[in-house]
mmCIF file with all atom_site columns, all heavy atoms in Angstrom:
data_model
loop_
_atom_site.group_PDB
_atom_site.id
_atom_site.type_symbol
_atom_site.label_atom_id
_atom_site.label_alt_id
_atom_site.label_comp_id
_atom_site.label_asym_id
_atom_site.label_entity_id
_atom_site.label_seq_id
_atom_site.pdbx_PDB_ins_code
_atom_site.Cartn_x
_atom_site.Cartn_y
_atom_site.Cartn_z
_atom_site.occupancy
_atom_site.B_iso_or_equiv
_atom_site.pdbx_formal_charge
_atom_site.auth_seq_id
_atom_site.auth_comp_id
_atom_site.auth_asym_id
_atom_site.auth_atom_id
_atom_site.pdbx_PDB_model_num
ATOM 1   N N   . ARG A 1 197 ? -12.879 2.195  28.184 1.00 95.00 ? 198 ARG A N   1
ATOM 2   C CA  . ARG A 1 197 ? -11.546 1.739  28.747 1.00 95.00 ? 198 ARG A CA  1
ATOM 3   C C   . ARG A 1 197 ? -10.541 2.794  28.489 1.00 95.00 ? 198 ARG A C   1
ATOM 4   O O   . ARG A 1 197 ? -10.488 3.349  27.364 1.00 95.00 ? 198 ARG A O   1
ATOM 5   C CB  . ARG A 1 197 ? -11.250 0.476  28.084 1.00 95.00 ? 198 ARG A CB  1
ATOM 6   C CG  . ARG A 1 197 ? -9.958  -0.204 28.622 1.00 95.00 ? 198 ARG A CG  1
ATOM 7   C CD  . ARG A 1 197 ? -9.771  -1.587 27.993 1.00 95.00 ? 198 ARG A CD  1
ATOM 8   N NE  . ARG A 1 197 ? -8.616  -2.301 28.555 1.00 95.00 ? 198 ARG A NE  1
ATOM 9   C CZ  . ARG A 1 197 ? -8.615  -3.006 29.736 1.00 95.00 ? 198 ARG A CZ  1
ATOM 10  N NH1 . ARG A 1 197 ? -9.775  -3.136 30.336 1.00 95.00 ? 198 ARG A NH1 1
ATOM 11  N NH2 . ARG A 1 197 ? -7.580  -3.625 30.157 1.00 95.00 ? 198 ARG A NH2 1
ATOM 12  N N   . TYR A 1 198 ? -9.708  3.076  29.443 1.00 93.00 ? 199 TYR A N   1
ATOM 13  C CA  . TYR A 1 198 ? -8.620  4.002  29.235 1.00 93.00 ? 199 TYR A CA  1
ATOM 14  C C   . TYR A 1 198 ? -7.441  3.658  30.131 1.00 93.00 ? 199 TYR A C   1
ATOM 15  O O   . TYR A 1 198 ? -7.609  3.430  31.392 1.00 93.00 ? 199 TYR A O   1
ATOM 16  C CB  . TYR A 1 198 ? -9.057  5.411  29.582 1.00 93.00 ? 199 TYR A CB  1
ATOM 17  C CG  . TYR A 1 198 ? -8.049  6.485  29.043 1.00 93.00 ? 199 TYR A CG  1
ATOM 18  C CD1 . TYR A 1 198 ? -8.053  7.027  27.816 1.00 93.00 ? 199 TYR A CD1 1
ATOM 19  C CD2 . TYR A 1 198 ? -7.088  7.017  29.981 1.00 93.00 ? 199 TYR A CD2 1
ATOM 20  C CE1 . TYR A 1 198 ? -7.117  7.906  27.421 1.00 93.00 ? 199 TYR A CE1 1
ATOM 21  C CE2 . TYR A 1 198 ? -6.192  7.877  29.601 1.00 93.00 ? 199 TYR A CE2 1
ATOM 22  C CZ  . TYR A 1 198 ? -6.133  8.498  28.275 1.00 93.00 ? 199 TYR A CZ  1
ATOM 23  O OH  . TYR A 1 198 ? -5.199  9.338  27.899 1.00 93.00 ? 199 TYR A OH  1
ATOM 24  N N   . GLY A 1 199 ? -6.262  3.547  29.663 1.00 93.00 ? 200 GLY A N   1
ATOM 25  C CA  . GLY A 1 199 ? -5.067  3.330  30.413 1.00 93.00 ? 200 GLY A CA  1
ATOM 26  C C   . GLY A 1 199 ? -5.059  1.917  31.162 1.00 93.00 ? 200 GLY A C   1
ATOM 27  O O   . GLY A 1 199 ? -4.578  1.827  32.258 1.00 93.00 ? 200 GLY A O   1
ATOM 28  N N   . GLY A 1 200 ? -5.719  0.991  30.441 1.00 95.00 ? 201 GLY A N   1
ATOM 29  C CA  . GLY A 1 200 ? -5.820  -0.393 31.046 1.00 95.00 ? 201 GLY A CA  1
ATOM 30  C C   . GLY A 1 200 ? -6.935  -0.535 32.125 1.00 95.00 ? 201 GLY A C   1
ATOM 31  O O   . GLY A 1 200 ? -6.981  -1.677 32.709 1.00 95.00 ? 201 GLY A O   1
ATOM 32  N N   . LYS A 1 201 ? -7.694  0.504  32.315 1.00 94.00 ? 202 LYS A N   1
ATOM 33  C CA  . LYS A 1 201 ? -8.756  0.371  33.289 1.00 94.00 ? 202 LYS A CA  1
ATOM 34  C C   . LYS A 1 201 ? -10.127 0.607  32.673 1.00 94.00 ? 202 LYS A C   1
ATOM 35  O O   . LYS A 1 201 ? -10.306 1.445  31.831 1.00 94.00 ? 202 LYS A O   1
ATOM 36  C CB  . LYS A 1 201 ? -8.567  1.473  34.378 1.00 94.00 ? 202 LYS A CB  1
ATOM 37  C CG  . LYS A 1 201 ? -9.573  1.491  35.547 1.00 94.00 ? 202 LYS A CG  1
ATOM 38  C CD  . LYS A 1 201 ? -9.218  2.537  36.562 1.00 94.00 ? 202 LYS A CD  1
ATOM 39  C CE  . LYS A 1 201 ? -10.237 2.571  37.694 1.00 94.00 ? 202 LYS A CE  1
ATOM 40  N NZ  . LYS A 1 201 ? -9.933  3.644  38.721 1.00 94.00 ? 202 LYS A NZ  1
ATOM 41  N N   . ASP A 1 202 ? -11.087 -0.162 33.119 1.00 95.00 ? 203 ASP A N   1
ATOM 42  C CA  . ASP A 1 202 ? -12.533 -0.015 32.639 1.00 95.00 ? 203 ASP A CA  1
ATOM 43  C C   . ASP A 1 202 ? -13.276 0.932  33.541 1.00 95.00 ? 203 ASP A C   1
ATOM 44  O O   . ASP A 1 202 ? -13.171 0.862  34.741 1.00 95.00 ? 203 ASP A O   1
ATOM 45  C CB  . ASP A 1 202 ? -13.227 -1.343 32.605 1.00 95.00 ? 203 ASP A CB  1
ATOM 46  C CG  . ASP A 1 202 ? -12.672 -2.264 31.538 1.00 95.00 ? 203 ASP A CG  1
ATOM 47  O OD1 . ASP A 1 202 ? -12.444 -1.818 30.462 1.00 95.00 ? 203 ASP A OD1 1
ATOM 48  O OD2 . ASP A 1 202 ? -12.414 -3.475 31.866 1.00 95.00 ? 203 ASP A OD2 1
ATOM 49  N N   . TYR A 1 203 ? -13.980 1.890  32.939 1.00 93.00 ? 204 TYR A N   1
ATOM 50  C CA  . TYR A 1 203 ? -14.736 2.822  33.708 1.00 93.00 ? 204 TYR A CA  1
ATOM 51  C C   . TYR A 1 203 ? -16.301 2.655  33.399 1.00 93.00 ? 204 TYR A C   1
ATOM 52  O O   . TYR A 1 203 ? -16.707 2.510  32.237 1.00 93.00 ? 204 TYR A O   1
ATOM 53  C CB  . TYR A 1 203 ? -14.395 4.254  33.226 1.00 93.00 ? 204 TYR A CB  1
ATOM 54  C CG  . TYR A 1 203 ? -13.033 4.603  33.625 1.00 93.00 ? 204 TYR A CG  1
ATOM 55  C CD1 . TYR A 1 203 ? -11.851 4.273  32.807 1.00 93.00 ? 204 TYR A CD1 1
ATOM 56  C CD2 . TYR A 1 203 ? -12.747 5.248  34.830 1.00 93.00 ? 204 TYR A CD2 1
ATOM 57  C CE1 . TYR A 1 203 ? -10.570 4.631  33.265 1.00 93.00 ? 204 TYR A CE1 1
ATOM 58  C CE2 . TYR A 1 203 ? -11.461 5.620  35.223 1.00 93.00 ? 204 TYR A CE2 1
ATOM 59  C CZ  . TYR A 1 203 ? -10.370 5.247  34.376 1.00 93.00 ? 204 TYR A CZ  1
ATOM 60  O OH  . TYR A 1 203 ? -9.030  5.608  34.719 1.00 93.00 ? 204 TYR A OH  1
ATOM 61  N N   . ASP A 1 204 ? -17.067 2.526  34.434 1.00 95.00 ? 205 ASP A N   1
ATOM 62  C CA  . ASP A 1 204 ? -18.511 2.404  34.377 1.00 95.00 ? 205 ASP A CA  1
ATOM 63  C C   . ASP A 1 204 ? -19.190 3.847  34.486 1.00 95.00 ? 205 ASP A C   1
ATOM 64  O O   . ASP A 1 204 ? -19.032 4.547  35.395 1.00 95.00 ? 205 ASP A O   1
ATOM 65  C CB  . ASP A 1 204 ? -18.981 1.560  35.650 1.00 95.00 ? 205 ASP A CB  1
ATOM 66  C CG  . ASP A 1 204 ? -20.464 1.440  35.614 1.00 95.00 ? 205 ASP A CG  1
ATOM 67  O OD1 . ASP A 1 204 ? -21.118 1.747  34.591 1.00 95.00 ? 205 ASP A OD1 1
ATOM 68  O OD2 . ASP A 1 204 ? -21.065 1.111  36.647 1.00 95.00 ? 205 ASP A OD2 1
ATOM 69  N N   . VAL A 1 205 ? -19.760 4.210  33.320 1.00 94.00 ? 206 VAL A N   1
ATOM 70  C CA  . VAL A 1 205 ? -20.406 5.441  33.281 1.00 94.00 ? 206 VAL A CA  1
ATOM 71  C C   . VAL A 1 205 ? -21.836 5.388  33.019 1.00 94.00 ? 206 VAL A C   1
ATOM 72  O O   . VAL A 1 205 ? -22.530 6.323  32.624 1.00 94.00 ? 206 VAL A O   1
ATOM 73  C CB  . VAL A 1 205 ? -19.759 6.430  32.132 1.00 94.00 ? 206 VAL A CB  1
ATOM 74  C CG1 . VAL A 1 205 ? -18.348 6.769  32.460 1.00 94.00 ? 206 VAL A CG1 1
ATOM 75  C CG2 . VAL A 1 205 ? -19.834 5.704  30.742 1.00 94.00 ? 206 VAL A CG2 1
ATOM 76  N N   . ALA A 1 206 ? -22.407 4.144  33.407 1.00 95.00 ? 207 ALA A N   1
ATOM 77  C CA  . ALA A 1 206 ? -23.858 3.992  33.255 1.00 95.00 ? 207 ALA A CA  1
ATOM 78  C C   . ALA A 1 206 ? -24.606 4.940  34.128 1.00 95.00 ? 207 ALA A C   1
ATOM 79  O O   . ALA A 1 206 ? -25.659 5.445  33.654 1.00 95.00 ? 207 ALA A O   1
ATOM 80  C CB  . ALA A 1 206 ? -24.260 2.532  33.580 1.00 95.00 ? 207 ALA A CB  1
ATOM 81  N N   . PRO A 1 207 ? -24.164 5.208  35.407 1.00 94.00 ? 208 PRO A N   1
ATOM 82  C CA  . PRO A 1 207 ? -24.861 6.194  36.170 1.00 94.00 ? 208 PRO A CA  1
ATOM 83  C C   . PRO A 1 207 ? -24.851 7.628  35.598 1.00 94.00 ? 208 PRO A C   1
ATOM 84  O O   . PRO A 1 207 ? -25.775 8.349  35.742 1.00 94.00 ? 208 PRO A O   1
ATOM 85  C CB  . PRO A 1 207 ? -24.183 6.237  37.502 1.00 94.00 ? 208 PRO A CB  1
ATOM 86  C CG  . PRO A 1 207 ? -23.576 4.805  37.540 1.00 94.00 ? 208 PRO A CG  1
ATOM 87  C CD  . PRO A 1 207 ? -23.140 4.522  36.132 1.00 94.00 ? 208 PRO A CD  1
ATOM 88  N N   . VAL A 1 208 ? -23.744 7.889  34.841 1.00 93.00 ? 209 VAL A N   1
ATOM 89  C CA  . VAL A 1 208 ? -23.583 9.267  34.293 1.00 93.00 ? 209 VAL A CA  1
ATOM 90  C C   . VAL A 1 208 ? -24.605 9.359  33.104 1.00 93.00 ? 209 VAL A C   1
ATOM 91  O O   . VAL A 1 208 ? -25.353 10.337 32.904 1.00 93.00 ? 209 VAL A O   1
ATOM 92  C CB  . VAL A 1 208 ? -22.153 9.489  33.718 1.00 93.00 ? 209 VAL A CB  1
ATOM 93  C CG1 . VAL A 1 208 ? -22.091 10.818 33.069 1.00 93.00 ? 209 VAL A CG1 1
ATOM 94  C CG2 . VAL A 1 208 ? -21.145 9.381  35.007 1.00 93.00 ? 209 VAL A CG2 1
ATOM 95  N N   . LEU A 1 209 ? -24.625 8.355  32.300 1.00 97.00 ? 210 LEU A N   1
ATOM 96  C CA  . LEU A 1 209 ? -25.638 8.313  31.129 1.00 97.00 ? 210 LEU A CA  1
ATOM 97  C C   . LEU A 1 209 ? -27.017 8.465  31.675 1.00 97.00 ? 210 LEU A C   1
ATOM 98  O O   . LEU A 1 209 ? -27.882 9.227  31.116 1.00 97.00 ? 210 LEU A O   1
ATOM 99  C CB  . LEU A 1 209 ? -25.430 6.982  30.371 1.00 97.00 ? 210 LEU A CB  1
ATOM 100 C CG  . LEU A 1 209 ? -26.241 6.837  29.131 1.00 97.00 ? 210 LEU A CG  1
ATOM 101 C CD1 . LEU A 1 209 ? -26.060 7.987  28.099 1.00 97.00 ? 210 LEU A CD1 1
ATOM 102 C CD2 . LEU A 1 209 ? -26.092 5.518  28.473 1.00 97.00 ? 210 LEU A CD2 1
ATOM 103 N N   . ALA A 1 210 ? -27.360 7.752  32.735 1.00 96.00 ? 211 ALA A N   1
ATOM 104 C CA  . ALA A 1 210 ? -28.727 7.834  33.327 1.00 96.00 ? 211 ALA A CA  1
ATOM 105 C C   . ALA A 1 210 ? -29.037 9.271  33.836 1.00 96.00 ? 211 ALA A C   1
ATOM 106 O O   . ALA A 1 210 ? -30.093 9.766  33.555 1.00 96.00 ? 211 ALA A O   1
ATOM 107 C CB  . ALA A 1 210 ? -28.872 6.756  34.410 1.00 96.00 ? 211 ALA A CB  1
ATOM 108 N N   . GLU A 1 211 ? -28.091 9.862  34.413 1.00 95.00 ? 212 GLU A N   1
ATOM 109 C CA  . GLU A 1 211 ? -28.263 11.164 34.870 1.00 95.00 ? 212 GLU A CA  1
ATOM 110 C C   . GLU A 1 211 ? -28.446 12.233 33.789 1.00 95.00 ? 212 GLU A C   1
ATOM 111 O O   . GLU A 1 211 ? -29.315 13.093 33.806 1.00 95.00 ? 212 GLU A O   1
ATOM 112 C CB  . GLU A 1 211 ? -27.050 11.670 35.830 1.00 95.00 ? 212 GLU A CB  1
ATOM 113 C CG  . GLU A 1 211 ? -27.293 13.023 36.396 1.00 95.00 ? 212 GLU A CG  1
ATOM 114 C CD  . GLU A 1 211 ? -26.206 13.453 37.331 1.00 95.00 ? 212 GLU A CD  1
ATOM 115 O OE1 . GLU A 1 211 ? -25.295 12.659 37.647 1.00 95.00 ? 212 GLU A OE1 1
ATOM 116 O OE2 . GLU A 1 211 ? -26.214 14.623 37.713 1.00 95.00 ? 212 GLU A OE2 1
ATOM 117 N N   . ILE A 1 212 ? -27.657 12.028 32.703 1.00 96.00 ? 213 ILE A N   1
ATOM 118 C CA  . ILE A 1 212 ? -27.792 12.906 31.568 1.00 96.00 ? 213 ILE A CA  1
ATOM 119 C C   . ILE A 1 212 ? -29.199 12.819 30.920 1.00 96.00 ? 213 ILE A C   1
ATOM 120 O O   . ILE A 1 212 ? -29.938 13.744 30.630 1.00 96.00 ? 213 ILE A O   1
ATOM 121 C CB  . ILE A 1 212 ? -26.738 12.509 30.495 1.00 96.00 ? 213 ILE A CB  1
ATOM 122 C CG1 . ILE A 1 212 ? -25.278 12.906 30.933 1.00 96.00 ? 213 ILE A CG1 1
ATOM 123 C CG2 . ILE A 1 212 ? -27.064 13.257 29.146 1.00 96.00 ? 213 ILE A CG2 1
ATOM 124 C CD1 . ILE A 1 212 ? -24.224 12.211 30.171 1.00 96.00 ? 213 ILE A CD1 1
ATOM 125 N N   . ALA A 1 213 ? -29.641 11.570 30.878 1.00 97.00 ? 214 ALA A N   1
ATOM 126 C CA  . ALA A 1 213 ? -30.984 11.289 30.251 1.00 97.00 ? 214 ALA A CA  1
ATOM 127 C C   . ALA A 1 213 ? -32.040 11.915 31.135 1.00 97.00 ? 214 ALA A C   1
ATOM 128 O O   . ALA A 1 213 ? -32.995 12.455 30.609 1.00 97.00 ? 214 ALA A O   1
ATOM 129 C CB  . ALA A 1 213 ? -31.165 9.759  30.215 1.00 97.00 ? 214 ALA A CB  1
ATOM 130 N N   . ARG A 1 214 ? -31.823 11.841 32.425 1.00 97.00 ? 215 ARG A N   1
ATOM 131 C CA  . ARG A 1 214 ? -32.817 12.437 33.366 1.00 97.00 ? 215 ARG A CA  1
ATOM 132 C C   . ARG A 1 214 ? -32.945 13.884 33.178 1.00 97.00 ? 215 ARG A C   1
ATOM 133 O O   . ARG A 1 214 ? -33.986 14.506 33.368 1.00 97.00 ? 215 ARG A O   1
ATOM 134 C CB  . ARG A 1 214 ? -32.537 12.007 34.768 1.00 97.00 ? 215 ARG A CB  1
ATOM 135 C CG  . ARG A 1 214 ? -33.436 12.545 35.824 1.00 97.00 ? 215 ARG A CG  1
ATOM 136 C CD  . ARG A 1 214 ? -33.104 11.985 37.206 1.00 97.00 ? 215 ARG A CD  1
ATOM 137 N NE  . ARG A 1 214 ? -31.779 12.327 37.614 1.00 97.00 ? 215 ARG A NE  1
ATOM 138 C CZ  . ARG A 1 214 ? -31.391 13.552 38.123 1.00 97.00 ? 215 ARG A CZ  1
ATOM 139 N NH1 . ARG A 1 214 ? -32.268 14.505 38.151 1.00 97.00 ? 215 ARG A NH1 1
ATOM 140 N NH2 . ARG A 1 214 ? -30.161 13.818 38.387 1.00 97.00 ? 215 ARG A NH2 1
ATOM 141 N N   . ARG A 1 215 ? -31.755 14.561 33.059 1.00 96.00 ? 216 ARG A N   1
ATOM 142 C CA  . ARG A 1 215 ? -31.681 16.064 33.081 1.00 96.00 ? 216 ARG A CA  1
ATOM 143 C C   . ARG A 1 215 ? -31.904 16.749 31.765 1.00 96.00 ? 216 ARG A C   1
ATOM 144 O O   . ARG A 1 215 ? -31.946 17.992 31.764 1.00 96.00 ? 216 ARG A O   1
ATOM 145 C CB  . ARG A 1 215 ? -30.302 16.349 33.635 1.00 96.00 ? 216 ARG A CB  1
ATOM 146 C CG  . ARG A 1 215 ? -30.181 16.010 35.151 1.00 96.00 ? 216 ARG A CG  1
ATOM 147 C CD  . ARG A 1 215 ? -28.779 16.184 35.686 1.00 96.00 ? 216 ARG A CD  1
ATOM 148 N NE  . ARG A 1 215 ? -28.367 17.665 35.548 1.00 96.00 ? 216 ARG A NE  1
ATOM 149 C CZ  . ARG A 1 215 ? -27.138 18.060 35.820 1.00 96.00 ? 216 ARG A CZ  1
ATOM 150 N NH1 . ARG A 1 215 ? -26.141 17.107 36.290 1.00 96.00 ? 216 ARG A NH1 1
ATOM 151 N NH2 . ARG A 1 215 ? -26.807 19.317 35.737 1.00 96.00 ? 216 ARG A NH2 1
ATOM 152 N N   . ILE A 1 216 ? -32.036 16.080 30.698 1.00 98.00 ? 217 ILE A N   1
ATOM 153 C CA  . ILE A 1 216 ? -32.377 16.699 29.372 1.00 98.00 ? 217 ILE A CA  1
ATOM 154 C C   . ILE A 1 216 ? -33.698 16.319 28.938 1.00 98.00 ? 217 ILE A C   1
ATOM 155 O O   . ILE A 1 216 ? -33.981 15.241 28.344 1.00 98.00 ? 217 ILE A O   1
ATOM 156 C CB  . ILE A 1 216 ? -31.304 16.292 28.318 1.00 98.00 ? 217 ILE A CB  1
ATOM 157 C CG1 . ILE A 1 216 ? -29.859 16.649 28.812 1.00 98.00 ? 217 ILE A CG1 1
ATOM 158 C CG2 . ILE A 1 216 ? -31.599 16.960 27.048 1.00 98.00 ? 217 ILE A CG2 1
ATOM 159 C CD1 . ILE A 1 216 ? -28.775 16.297 27.882 1.00 98.00 ? 217 ILE A CD1 1
ATOM 160 N N   . PRO A 1 217 ? -34.712 17.131 29.182 1.00 97.00 ? 218 PRO A N   1
ATOM 161 C CA  . PRO A 1 217 ? -36.089 16.758 28.957 1.00 97.00 ? 218 PRO A CA  1
ATOM 162 C C   . PRO A 1 217 ? -36.476 16.552 27.492 1.00 97.00 ? 218 PRO A C   1
ATOM 163 O O   . PRO A 1 217 ? -37.498 15.980 27.222 1.00 97.00 ? 218 PRO A O   1
ATOM 164 C CB  . PRO A 1 217 ? -36.925 17.877 29.664 1.00 97.00 ? 218 PRO A CB  1
ATOM 165 C CG  . PRO A 1 217 ? -35.955 19.062 29.676 1.00 97.00 ? 218 PRO A CG  1
ATOM 166 C CD  . PRO A 1 217 ? -34.565 18.496 29.824 1.00 97.00 ? 218 PRO A CD  1
#
Side-chain angles (χ1 to χ4, degrees):
R198 186 176 184 84
Y199 190 87
K202 182 178 179 181
D203 291 317
Y204 292 86
D205 177 15
V206 292
V209 178
L210 181 61
E212 184 178 350
I213 294 166
R215 177 179 60 80
R216 292 172 58 186
I217 301 180

